[in-house]
């Protein structure tokens, strides 16, 4: 009998078996439209989003929450974990916040992932429509605290890729108390005058990799605050904005330190700062150590290289003490480009805790097609290769 089965029939039977095997292993998908979401930009789709998340989170198999094309109006979204398996949030559409900034501004968060392990967020656009909130802030009116656009708190094994974040009220992306986080090919945009709109803010987290992407905003492109450890940043286009910063640190006496940070292969264009370490001039047990800034290009940057241990924006309420944050083992290497100010390199360290182990290697920064200047105070280290501006260590 078996000898009489034709070859085409064998192929058909094999295809049917293969189909059923793959169907049984297919990832469950929870389309937000199935639960009432409408991509018309007017209907509140918050509840359908949370329903889809809840069902995916309870799935024993890997699951997907799918947001198809369209514009979805959502208020505060809190995606709670832990979930039973890996969740993928795939966004093909655009999420917009309500026009009334009070709708999300009081919570501190717009989209929050909390206590989720194994989460992937890919694609799409989120627009917090923060212009009204910024206007309130600038007028000095009674305003809410402002919402961060997308946040990961107490999360592990996170992938955020291909997302576009527009016009955040406050910070665009925050990573707090989390580990093993990858942020890839992200696009962030807000006007240069938008206040406190950090692109990516990391705090009390370890194993964070930020690779690829363009960040143009009104504050730091990337800010690494207390407790940031084992951080890798590469291939970021920053500007406009305030550069890539460690700090500000020294807000509290018992503050976690920052260590093992690399920033490499990135470009800064018309930013207020390039790479910066900033600490308040007040007592602290904090520290910064084992940091490498290398292979960077500065294009018309106000302060390309800066350590500022007398940080006090706007000159109001300055502590005017001595910073307790200890800075050591920091390397600036292969940094080239142009400064818009005569002092292209400023290393202003604490008078009670001098910066130590500072290394300058192959730096070429010019001002108006001439050599720039440098400023050093309370800093100890060495140079190698060609260093322009002239070394002041």
């Amino acid at each position: 009998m078996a000898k009489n089965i034709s070859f085409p029939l064998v192929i058909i039977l094999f295809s049917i078996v293969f189909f059923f095997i793959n169907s049984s292993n297919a990832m469950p998908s929870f389309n937000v439209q199935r639960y009432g979401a409408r991509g018309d930009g007017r209907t509140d789709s918050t509840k359908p989003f949370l329903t889809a998340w809840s069902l995916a989170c309870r799935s024993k198999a890997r699951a997907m929450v799918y947001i198809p094309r369209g514009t979805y109006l959502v208020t505060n979204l809190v995606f709670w974990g832990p979930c039973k398996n890996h969740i993928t949030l795939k966004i093909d559409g655009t999420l917009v916040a309500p026009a009334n900034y009070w709708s999300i501004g009081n919570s501190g968060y717009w989209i929050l992932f909390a206590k989720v392990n194994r989460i992937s967020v890919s694609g799409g656009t989120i627009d917090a429509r923060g212009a009204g909130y910024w206007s309130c802030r600038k007028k000095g009116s009674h305003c809410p605290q402002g919402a961060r656009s997308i946040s990961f708190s107490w999360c592990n094994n996170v992938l955020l890729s291909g997302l576009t974040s527009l016009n955040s009220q406050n910070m665009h992306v925050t990573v707090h108390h989390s580990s093993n986080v990858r942020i890839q090919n992200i696009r962030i945009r807000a006007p240069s005058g938008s206040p406190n709109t950090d692109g990516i803010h990391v705090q009390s987290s370890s194993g964070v990799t930020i690779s690829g992407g363009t960040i143009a905003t009104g504050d730091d492109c990337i800010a690494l605050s207390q407790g940031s450890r084992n951080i890798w940043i590469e291939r970021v286009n920053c500007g406009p904005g305030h550069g890539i910063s460690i700090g500000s640190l020294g807000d509290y006496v018992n503050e976690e330190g920052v260590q093992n940070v690399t920033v490499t292969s990135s470009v800064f264009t018309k930013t207020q700062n390039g790479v910066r370490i900033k600490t308040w001039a007040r007592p602290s047990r904090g520290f910064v150590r084992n940091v490498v800034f290398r292979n960077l290009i500065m294009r018309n940057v106000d302060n390309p290289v800066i350590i500022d241990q007398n940080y006090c924006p706007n000159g109001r309420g300055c502590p005017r003490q001595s910073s307790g944050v200890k800075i050591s083992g920091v390397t600036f290497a292969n940094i080239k480009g142009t400064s818009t100010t005569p002092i292209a390199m400023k290393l202003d360290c604490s008078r009670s805790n001098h910066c130590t182990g500072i290394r300058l290697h192959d730096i070429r920064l010019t001002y108006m097609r001439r050599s720039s200047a440098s400023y050093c105070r309370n800093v100890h280290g060495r140079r190698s290769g060609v260093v322009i501006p002239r070394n002041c260590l």
Side-chain angles (χ1 to χ4, degrees), residues 76-199:
N76 300 102
L77 291 171
V78 180
F79 297 124
W80 282 101
C83 297
K84 291 187 176 180
N85 208 320
H86 187 286
I87 305 293
T88 296
L89 182 68
K90 180 172 174 53
I91 309 172
D92 282 338
T94 297
L95 280 58
V96 296
N100 183 350
Y101 54 81
W102 283 95
S103 297
I104 64 170
N106 265 331
S107 69
Y109 300 94
W110 180 25
I111 303 166
L112 170 64
F113 296 86
K115 298 184 178 180
V116 182
N117 298 321
R118 296 175 294 174
I119 172 70
S120 299
V121 181
S122 66
T125 298
I126 58 174
D127 186 351
R129 302 204 282 191
Y133 176 72
W134 308 328
S135 178
C136 180
R137 287 282 308 274
K138 290 176 181 178
K139 291 177 182 176
S141 306
H142 174 59
C143 310
Q145 62 178 309
R148 302 164 181 181
S149 282
I150 183 166
S151 301
F152 300 88
S153 295
W154 294 280
C155 294
N156 301 305
N157 301 317
V158 175
L159 172 61
L160 175 63
S161 64
L163 179 77
T164 297
S165 176
L166 306 175
N167 304 316
S168 180
Q169 286 188 0
N170 204 295
M171 301 170 183
H172 288 262
V173 180
T174 65
V175 177
H176 292 175
H177 303 281
S178 298
S179 64
N180 191 19
V181 177
R182 290 179 293 150
I183 301 175
Q184 299 175 348
N185 302 320
I186 195 168
R187 292 172 294 278
I188 291 173
R189 190 170 75 243
S192 59
S194 55
N196 300 116
T197 52
D198 285 359

Side-chain angles (χ1 to χ4, degrees), residues 317-333:
C318 303
R320 302 191 188 284
Q321 301 175 58
S322 180
S323 176
V325 177
K326 297 180 180 178
I327 298 175
S328 63
V330 179
T331 296
F332 300 94

